Amino acid sequence: MAFERVAAVTGANKGIGLAIVRNLALQYPSSAFNNGPLLIYLTARDRGRGEEAVKSLQNDSQLKKAKALATDGGLATIKYHGLDISNEKSIRDFAGFLKKEHPEGIDMVVNNAGIAMDGFDINVVKHTLQCNYYGTLSATRSLLPILKEGGRLVNVSSMVGHLNSKYSEDIQARFAKSKTVEDVTKLMEAFTHAVEESKEKERGWPSAAYAVSKSGVTGMTRAIALEHQKTGSKTLVNSCCPGYVDTDMTKHRGSKTVDQGAQTPVKLALGDIGAISGEFWEHEDVSEW
């Protein structure tokens, strides 16, 4: 089958990522992007879990009822592809695969993959930043050039990355003034060095690796959007918080369902958002970072 549109979702074997794939398939037919069959790459680190996730969607009651999948006469086809965003080679391999399979480009990328580790020490900081910040940055850098003009790239961040009183006024100002990826990366490096010396609090940082990593994702996404806009591109690059969702990552304390959590990322991938790029979104609307 020839596909008119192609999407890729990272970290999609469960939770919000899986719900994003489901809702892309459900909402695509009524979106302005619909001009024929849609292929969605559901990516995950583990092949077994990824393929099991695809099977679960093929039997999903919502998708069956909507006749959203090609097997039921709909427009969407979902395929698994391996991707570990904490591994540079894995990212390069996936980008190379997409270029080969879709030389004309793809339409949507939702970078959802991320980790939240228990505890706080330098190892937790390094592992968290490697996946959530550096991995998302690398995936963004590798996949953005593959997007067709007018495509969408969405980085899933978090409200815990808000620039509030957990940071000193100086750190807040440095984040707010950051204009380049280098600016944001220097902040991630400063946090890491502070933790290595057990001085993060006196230097204005919280003892919270996940929160800092997500501040980095929001800042980096804004910087890349600014960089991309300068080229005259109409591709839209945004970050968002899905909300406090009932997932493994929140230890099932969240109040939103995964499908509710998927709504903002899916709106940024498919919906009418004007020409807005470089913003942080919550509750399906632009929010202050």
Side-chain angles (χ1 to χ4, degrees), residues 6 95-106 145-148:
V6 180
F97 166 82
L98 290 175
K99 287 177 185 175
K100 182 178 178 182
E101 290 293 310
H102 309 285
E104 72 288 355
I106 67 173
I146 303 171
L147 282 171
K148 295 174 187 172

Side-chain angles (χ1 to χ4, degrees), residues 138-151:
S138 182
T140 300
R141 287 281 198 215
S142 297
L143 300 177
L144 187 55
I146 303 171
L147 282 171
K148 295 174 187 172
E149 179 64 12

Side-chain angles (χ1 to χ4, degrees), residues 82-211:
L83 176 63
D84 178 357
I85 70 159
S86 64
N87 183 300
E88 284 283 343
K89 184 178 183 303
S90 180
I91 294 170
R92 287 197 306 270
D93 287 348
F94 183 53
F97 166 82
L98 290 175
K99 287 177 185 175
K100 182 178 178 182
E101 290 293 310
H102 309 285
E104 72 288 355
I106 67 173
D107 301 276
M108 299 150 234
V109 172
V110 182
N111 281 317
N112 170 73
I115 59 171
M117 300 174 69
D118 291 330
F120 182 81
D121 59 28
I122 189 58
N123 288 324
V124 169
V125 167
K126 286 182 175 180
H127 279 98
T128 302
L129 291 184
Q130 179 57 40
C131 181
N132 294 2
Y133 179 72
Y134 293 104
T136 302
L137 171 59
S138 182
T140 300
R141 287 281 198 215
S142 297
L143 300 177
L144 187 55
I146 303 171
L147 282 171
K148 295 174 187 172
E149 179 64 12
R152 307 280 180 91
L153 186 138
V154 185
N155 285 334
V156 176
S157 188
S158 174
M159 58 187 155
V160 301
H162 276 309
L163 302 183
N164 54 28
S165 59
K166 66 177 172 286
Y167 294 114
S168 69
E169 289 185 4
D170 175 62
I171 298 296
Q172 288 182 54
R174 287 176 66 189
F175 269 116
K177 291 176 183 176
S178 63
K179 292 288 187 289
T180 67
V181 172
E182 184 182 12
D183 291 339
V184 182
T185 298
K186 283 180 178 176
L187 282 159
M188 297 298 102
E189 291 169 350
F191 173 59
T192 303
H193 293 152
V195 176
E196 283 177 326
E197 297 173 16
S198 300
K199 292 182 177 179
E200 70 278 359
K201 288 189 176 177
E202 67 183 79
R203 292 182 187 171
W205 298 94
S207 298
Y210 182 78

Side-chain angles (χ1 to χ4, degrees), residues 41 74 88 161 217 234-235 257:
Y41 286 107
E88 284 283 343
V217 168
K234 294 179 182 174
T235 298
T257 67

